[in-house]
PDB file of all heavy atoms in Angstrom:
ATOM      1  N   MET A 114      37.877  -5.388  -1.786  1.00  0.00           N
ATOM      2  CA  MET A 114      38.540  -5.738  -0.527  1.00  0.00           C
ATOM      3  C   MET A 114      38.316  -7.206  -0.156  1.00  0.00           C
ATOM      4  O   MET A 114      39.227  -7.884   0.323  1.00  0.00           O
ATOM      5  CB  MET A 114      38.025  -4.836   0.594  1.00  0.00           C
ATOM      6  CG  MET A 114      38.377  -3.365   0.449  1.00  0.00           C
ATOM      7  SD  MET A 114      40.147  -3.018   0.499  1.00  0.00           S
ATOM      8  CE  MET A 114      40.479  -2.726  -1.255  1.00  0.00           C
ATOM      9  N   VAL A 115      37.095  -7.713  -0.359  1.00  0.00           N
ATOM     10  CA  VAL A 115      36.825  -9.124  -0.073  1.00  0.00           C
ATOM     11  C   VAL A 115      37.650 -10.015  -0.994  1.00  0.00           C
ATOM     12  O   VAL A 115      38.214 -11.038  -0.569  1.00  0.00           O
ATOM     13  CB  VAL A 115      35.323  -9.435  -0.210  1.00  0.00           C
ATOM     14  CG1 VAL A 115      35.059 -10.939  -0.135  1.00  0.00           C
ATOM     15  CG2 VAL A 115      34.528  -8.720   0.882  1.00  0.00           C
ATOM     16  N   GLY A 116      37.749  -9.642  -2.272  1.00  0.00           N
ATOM     17  CA  GLY A 116      38.574 -10.406  -3.201  1.00  0.00           C
ATOM     18  C   GLY A 116      40.049 -10.358  -2.856  1.00  0.00           C
ATOM     19  O   GLY A 116      40.801 -11.299  -3.146  1.00  0.00           O
ATOM     20  N   LEU A 117      40.484  -9.288  -2.223  1.00  0.00           N
ATOM     21  CA  LEU A 117      41.887  -9.129  -1.843  1.00  0.00           C
ATOM     22  C   LEU A 117      42.247  -9.927  -0.596  1.00  0.00           C
ATOM     23  O   LEU A 117      43.356 -10.460  -0.471  1.00  0.00           O
ATOM     24  CB  LEU A 117      42.172  -7.636  -1.618  1.00  0.00           C
ATOM     25  CG  LEU A 117      43.578  -7.169  -1.290  1.00  0.00           C
ATOM     26  CD1 LEU A 117      44.538  -7.530  -2.414  1.00  0.00           C
ATOM     27  CD2 LEU A 117      43.581  -5.673  -1.045  1.00  0.00           C
ATOM     28  N   GLU A 118      41.295 -10.046   0.350  1.00  0.00           N
ATOM     29  CA  GLU A 118      41.654 -10.610   1.650  1.00  0.00           C
ATOM     30  C   GLU A 118      41.863 -12.116   1.630  1.00  0.00           C
ATOM     31  O   GLU A 118      42.702 -12.642   2.366  1.00  0.00           O
ATOM     32  CB  GLU A 118      40.594 -10.237   2.697  1.00  0.00           C
ATOM     33  CG  GLU A 118      39.224 -10.774   2.424  1.00  0.00           C
ATOM     34  CD  GLU A 118      38.166 -10.210   3.367  1.00  0.00           C
ATOM     35  OE1 GLU A 118      38.536  -9.508   4.312  1.00  0.00           O
ATOM     36  OE2 GLU A 118      36.974 -10.484   3.145  1.00  0.00           O
ATOM     37  N   ILE A 119      41.118 -12.846   0.814  1.00  0.00           N
ATOM     38  CA  ILE A 119      41.288 -14.299   0.785  1.00  0.00           C
ATOM     39  C   ILE A 119      42.680 -14.694   0.272  1.00  0.00           C
ATOM     40  O   ILE A 119      43.350 -15.541   0.891  1.00  0.00           O
ATOM     41  CB  ILE A 119      40.173 -14.971  -0.046  1.00  0.00           C
ATOM     42  CG1 ILE A 119      38.806 -14.764   0.634  1.00  0.00           C
ATOM     43  CG2 ILE A 119      40.457 -16.461  -0.225  1.00  0.00           C
ATOM     44  CD1 ILE A 119      38.685 -15.391   2.003  1.00  0.00           C
ATOM     45  N   PRO A 120      43.186 -14.134  -0.843  1.00  0.00           N
ATOM     46  CA  PRO A 120      44.565 -14.458  -1.232  1.00  0.00           C
ATOM     47  C   PRO A 120      45.590 -14.082  -0.165  1.00  0.00           C
ATOM     48  O   PRO A 120      46.564 -14.817   0.049  1.00  0.00           O
ATOM     49  CB  PRO A 120      44.773 -13.637  -2.507  1.00  0.00           C
ATOM     50  CG  PRO A 120      43.402 -13.451  -3.067  1.00  0.00           C
ATOM     51  CD  PRO A 120      42.523 -13.316  -1.875  1.00  0.00           C
ATOM     52  N   LEU A 121      45.380 -12.935   0.510  1.00  0.00           N
ATOM     53  CA  LEU A 121      46.308 -12.562   1.577  1.00  0.00           C
ATOM     54  C   LEU A 121      46.280 -13.587   2.702  1.00  0.00           C
ATOM     55  O   LEU A 121      47.325 -13.986   3.236  1.00  0.00           O
ATOM     56  CB  LEU A 121      45.958 -11.180   2.116  1.00  0.00           C
ATOM     57  CG  LEU A 121      46.181  -9.985   1.182  1.00  0.00           C
ATOM     58  CD1 LEU A 121      45.801  -8.685   1.883  1.00  0.00           C
ATOM     59  CD2 LEU A 121      47.629  -9.923   0.705  1.00  0.00           C
ATOM     60  N   LEU A 122      45.085 -14.014   3.091  1.00  0.00           N
ATOM     61  CA  LEU A 122      44.973 -15.024   4.137  1.00  0.00           C
ATOM     62  C   LEU A 122      45.652 -16.333   3.723  1.00  0.00           C
ATOM     63  O   LEU A 122      46.305 -16.991   4.541  1.00  0.00           O
ATOM     64  CB  LEU A 122      43.500 -15.281   4.456  1.00  0.00           C
ATOM     65  CG  LEU A 122      42.856 -14.369   5.502  1.00  0.00           C
ATOM     66  CD1 LEU A 122      41.357 -14.581   5.538  1.00  0.00           C
ATOM     67  CD2 LEU A 122      43.461 -14.632   6.879  1.00  0.00           C
ATOM     68  N   MET A 123      45.470 -16.710   2.468  1.00  0.00           N
ATOM     69  CA  MET A 123      46.115 -17.945   2.008  1.00  0.00           C
ATOM     70  C   MET A 123      47.629 -17.855   2.149  1.00  0.00           C
ATOM     71  O   MET A 123      48.292 -18.811   2.567  1.00  0.00           O
ATOM     72  CB  MET A 123      45.743 -18.211   0.542  1.00  0.00           C
ATOM     73  CG  MET A 123      44.359 -18.799   0.340  1.00  0.00           C
ATOM     74  SD  MET A 123      44.117 -19.279  -1.390  1.00  0.00           S
ATOM     75  CE  MET A 123      42.518 -20.047  -1.296  1.00  0.00           C
ATOM     76  N   ARG A 124      48.177 -16.701   1.804  1.00  0.00           N
ATOM     77  CA  ARG A 124      49.632 -16.550   1.868  1.00  0.00           C
ATOM     78  C   ARG A 124      50.115 -16.524   3.319  1.00  0.00           C
ATOM     79  O   ARG A 124      51.188 -17.031   3.637  1.00  0.00           O
ATOM     80  CB  ARG A 124      50.040 -15.288   1.120  1.00  0.00           C
ATOM     81  CG  ARG A 124      49.914 -15.465  -0.391  1.00  0.00           C
ATOM     82  CD  ARG A 124      49.774 -14.147  -1.120  1.00  0.00           C
ATOM     83  NE  ARG A 124      50.970 -13.337  -1.008  1.00  0.00           N
ATOM     84  CZ  ARG A 124      51.075 -12.113  -1.528  1.00  0.00           C
ATOM     85  NH1 ARG A 124      50.032 -11.583  -2.178  1.00  0.00           N
ATOM     86  NH2 ARG A 124      52.198 -11.427  -1.399  1.00  0.00           N
ATOM     87  N   ILE A 125      49.289 -15.917   4.219  1.00  0.00           N
ATOM     88  CA  ILE A 125      49.689 -15.878   5.623  1.00  0.00           C
ATOM     89  C   ILE A 125      49.563 -17.269   6.250  1.00  0.00           C
ATOM     90  O   ILE A 125      50.467 -17.759   6.927  1.00  0.00           O
ATOM     91  CB  ILE A 125      48.837 -14.854   6.401  1.00  0.00           C
ATOM     92  CG1 ILE A 125      49.100 -13.443   5.871  1.00  0.00           C
ATOM     93  CG2 ILE A 125      49.153 -14.909   7.877  1.00  0.00           C
ATOM     94  CD1 ILE A 125      48.138 -12.391   6.412  1.00  0.00           C
TER      95      ILE A 125
END
Side-chain angles (χ1 to χ4, degrees):
M114 294 297 104
V115 171
L117 184 61
E118 63 189 353
I119 295 297
L121 292 181
L122 273 170
M123 282 188 175
R124 287 157 66 182
I125 296 170

